[in-house]
mmCIF file with all atom_site columns, all heavy atoms in Angstrom:
data_model
loop_
_atom_site.group_PDB
_atom_site.id
_atom_site.type_symbol
_atom_site.label_atom_id
_atom_site.label_alt_id
_atom_site.label_comp_id
_atom_site.label_asym_id
_atom_site.label_entity_id
_atom_site.label_seq_id
_atom_site.pdbx_PDB_ins_code
_atom_site.Cartn_x
_atom_site.Cartn_y
_atom_site.Cartn_z
_atom_site.occupancy
_atom_site.B_iso_or_equiv
_atom_site.pdbx_formal_charge
_atom_site.auth_seq_id
_atom_site.auth_comp_id
_atom_site.auth_asym_id
_atom_site.auth_atom_id
_atom_site.pdbx_PDB_model_num
ATOM 1  N N   . SER A 1 69  ? 11.271 -9.122  4.806  1.00 0.00 ? 113 SER A N   1
ATOM 2  C CA  . SER A 1 69  ? 10.182 -8.944  5.810  1.00 0.00 ? 113 SER A CA  1
ATOM 3  C C   . SER A 1 69  ? 10.779 -8.131  6.976  1.00 0.00 ? 113 SER A C   1
ATOM 4  O O   . SER A 1 69  ? 11.801 -8.379  7.522  1.00 0.00 ? 113 SER A O   1
ATOM 5  C CB  . SER A 1 69  ? 9.799  -10.320 6.455  1.00 0.00 ? 113 SER A CB  1
ATOM 6  O OG  . SER A 1 69  ? 9.073  -11.051 5.445  1.00 0.00 ? 113 SER A OG  1
ATOM 7  N N   . TYR A 1 70  ? 9.944  -7.107  7.382  1.00 0.00 ? 114 TYR A N   1
ATOM 8  C CA  . TYR A 1 70  ? 10.275 -6.227  8.485  1.00 0.00 ? 114 TYR A CA  1
ATOM 9  C C   . TYR A 1 70  ? 9.089  -6.101  9.471  1.00 0.00 ? 114 TYR A C   1
ATOM 10 O O   . TYR A 1 70  ? 7.919  -6.095  8.966  1.00 0.00 ? 114 TYR A O   1
ATOM 11 C CB  . TYR A 1 70  ? 10.630 -4.839  8.080  1.00 0.00 ? 114 TYR A CB  1
ATOM 12 C CG  . TYR A 1 70  ? 12.099 -4.771  7.536  1.00 0.00 ? 114 TYR A CG  1
ATOM 13 C CD1 . TYR A 1 70  ? 12.577 -5.207  6.379  1.00 0.00 ? 114 TYR A CD1 1
ATOM 14 C CD2 . TYR A 1 70  ? 13.073 -4.076  8.347  1.00 0.00 ? 114 TYR A CD2 1
ATOM 15 C CE1 . TYR A 1 70  ? 13.899 -5.109  6.019  1.00 0.00 ? 114 TYR A CE1 1
ATOM 16 C CE2 . TYR A 1 70  ? 14.368 -3.962  8.044  1.00 0.00 ? 114 TYR A CE2 1
ATOM 17 C CZ  . TYR A 1 70  ? 14.823 -4.507  6.787  1.00 0.00 ? 114 TYR A CZ  1
ATOM 18 O OH  . TYR A 1 70  ? 16.101 -4.408  6.535  1.00 0.00 ? 114 TYR A OH  1
ATOM 19 N N   . GLN A 1 71  ? 9.299  -5.944  10.780 1.00 0.00 ? 115 GLN A N   1
ATOM 20 C CA  . GLN A 1 71  ? 8.290  -5.784  11.668 1.00 0.00 ? 115 GLN A CA  1
ATOM 21 C C   . GLN A 1 71  ? 8.161  -4.258  12.053 1.00 0.00 ? 115 GLN A C   1
ATOM 22 O O   . GLN A 1 71  ? 9.247  -3.683  12.293 1.00 0.00 ? 115 GLN A O   1
ATOM 23 C CB  . GLN A 1 71  ? 8.471  -6.614  12.947 1.00 0.00 ? 115 GLN A CB  1
ATOM 24 C CG  . GLN A 1 71  ? 7.369  -6.504  13.893 1.00 0.00 ? 115 GLN A CG  1
ATOM 25 C CD  . GLN A 1 71  ? 7.714  -7.404  15.135 1.00 0.00 ? 115 GLN A CD  1
ATOM 26 O OE1 . GLN A 1 71  ? 8.812  -7.758  15.474 1.00 0.00 ? 115 GLN A OE1 1
ATOM 27 N NE2 . GLN A 1 71  ? 6.687  -7.712  15.890 1.00 0.00 ? 115 GLN A NE2 1
ATOM 28 N N   . MET A 1 83  ? 12.011 -3.296  12.032 1.00 0.00 ? 127 MET A N   1
ATOM 29 C CA  . MET A 1 83  ? 13.194 -4.227  12.481 1.00 0.00 ? 127 MET A CA  1
ATOM 30 C C   . MET A 1 83  ? 13.118 -5.426  11.459 1.00 0.00 ? 127 MET A C   1
ATOM 31 O O   . MET A 1 83  ? 12.017 -5.991  11.266 1.00 0.00 ? 127 MET A O   1
ATOM 32 C CB  . MET A 1 83  ? 12.931 -4.729  13.903 1.00 0.00 ? 127 MET A CB  1
ATOM 33 C CG  . MET A 1 83  ? 14.066 -5.741  14.258 1.00 0.00 ? 127 MET A CG  1
ATOM 34 S SD  . MET A 1 83  ? 13.811 -6.339  15.912 1.00 0.00 ? 127 MET A SD  1
ATOM 35 C CE  . MET A 1 83  ? 12.226 -7.176  15.762 1.00 0.00 ? 127 MET A CE  1
ATOM 36 N N   . ASN A 1 84  ? 14.259 -5.833  10.946 1.00 0.00 ? 128 ASN A N   1
ATOM 37 C CA  . ASN A 1 84  ? 14.312 -7.032  10.023 1.00 0.00 ? 128 ASN A CA  1
ATOM 38 C C   . ASN A 1 84  ? 14.013 -8.237  10.904 1.00 0.00 ? 128 ASN A C   1
ATOM 39 O O   . ASN A 1 84  ? 14.615 -8.391  11.943 1.00 0.00 ? 128 ASN A O   1
ATOM 40 C CB  . ASN A 1 84  ? 15.774 -7.072  9.459  1.00 0.00 ? 128 ASN A CB  1
ATOM 41 C CG  . ASN A 1 84  ? 15.858 -8.130  8.432  1.00 0.00 ? 128 ASN A CG  1
ATOM 42 O OD1 . ASN A 1 84  ? 15.297 -9.174  8.432  1.00 0.00 ? 128 ASN A OD1 1
ATOM 43 N ND2 . ASN A 1 84  ? 16.630 -7.806  7.396  1.00 0.00 ? 128 ASN A ND2 1
ATOM 44 N N   . VAL A 1 109 ? 3.836  -7.137  10.490 1.00 0.00 ? 153 VAL A N   1
ATOM 45 C CA  . VAL A 1 109 ? 4.973  -7.591  9.582  1.00 0.00 ? 153 VAL A CA  1
ATOM 46 C C   . VAL A 1 109 ? 4.592  -7.041  8.158  1.00 0.00 ? 153 VAL A C   1
ATOM 47 O O   . VAL A 1 109 ? 3.479  -7.320  7.669  1.00 0.00 ? 153 VAL A O   1
ATOM 48 C CB  . VAL A 1 109 ? 5.146  -9.030  9.658  1.00 0.00 ? 153 VAL A CB  1
ATOM 49 C CG1 . VAL A 1 109 ? 6.246  -9.448  8.625  1.00 0.00 ? 153 VAL A CG1 1
ATOM 50 C CG2 . VAL A 1 109 ? 5.563  -9.544  11.047 1.00 0.00 ? 153 VAL A CG2 1
ATOM 51 N N   . VAL A 1 110 ? 5.519  -6.282  7.646  1.00 0.00 ? 154 VAL A N   1
ATOM 52 C CA  . VAL A 1 110 ? 5.345  -5.873  6.319  1.00 0.00 ? 154 VAL A CA  1
ATOM 53 C C   . VAL A 1 110 ? 6.490  -6.295  5.379  1.00 0.00 ? 154 VAL A C   1
ATOM 54 O O   . VAL A 1 110 ? 7.571  -6.662  5.914  1.00 0.00 ? 154 VAL A O   1
ATOM 55 C CB  . VAL A 1 110 ? 5.339  -4.226  6.191  1.00 0.00 ? 154 VAL A CB  1
ATOM 56 C CG1 . VAL A 1 110 ? 4.089  -3.787  7.012  1.00 0.00 ? 154 VAL A CG1 1
ATOM 57 C CG2 . VAL A 1 110 ? 6.500  -3.623  6.720  1.00 0.00 ? 154 VAL A CG2 1
ATOM 58 N N   . PHE A 1 114 ? 13.780 -3.473  -1.685 1.00 0.00 ? 158 PHE A N   1
ATOM 59 C CA  . PHE A 1 114 ? 15.039 -2.742  -1.805 1.00 0.00 ? 158 PHE A CA  1
ATOM 60 C C   . PHE A 1 114 ? 15.643 -2.830  -3.208 1.00 0.00 ? 158 PHE A C   1
ATOM 61 O O   . PHE A 1 114 ? 15.418 -3.760  -3.866 1.00 0.00 ? 158 PHE A O   1
ATOM 62 C CB  . PHE A 1 114 ? 16.106 -3.450  -0.825 1.00 0.00 ? 158 PHE A CB  1
ATOM 63 C CG  . PHE A 1 114 ? 15.845 -3.182  0.649  1.00 0.00 ? 158 PHE A CG  1
ATOM 64 C CD1 . PHE A 1 114 ? 14.964 -4.056  1.299  1.00 0.00 ? 158 PHE A CD1 1
ATOM 65 C CD2 . PHE A 1 114 ? 16.380 -2.145  1.256  1.00 0.00 ? 158 PHE A CD2 1
ATOM 66 C CE1 . PHE A 1 114 ? 14.758 -3.871  2.632  1.00 0.00 ? 158 PHE A CE1 1
ATOM 67 C CE2 . PHE A 1 114 ? 16.118 -1.951  2.632  1.00 0.00 ? 158 PHE A CE2 1
ATOM 68 C CZ  . PHE A 1 114 ? 15.317 -2.787  3.278  1.00 0.00 ? 158 PHE A CZ  1
#
Side-chain angles (χ1 to χ4, degrees):
S113 292
Y114 276 78
Q115 183 179 19
M127 178 183 67
N128 190 323
V153 175
V154 296
F158 290 88

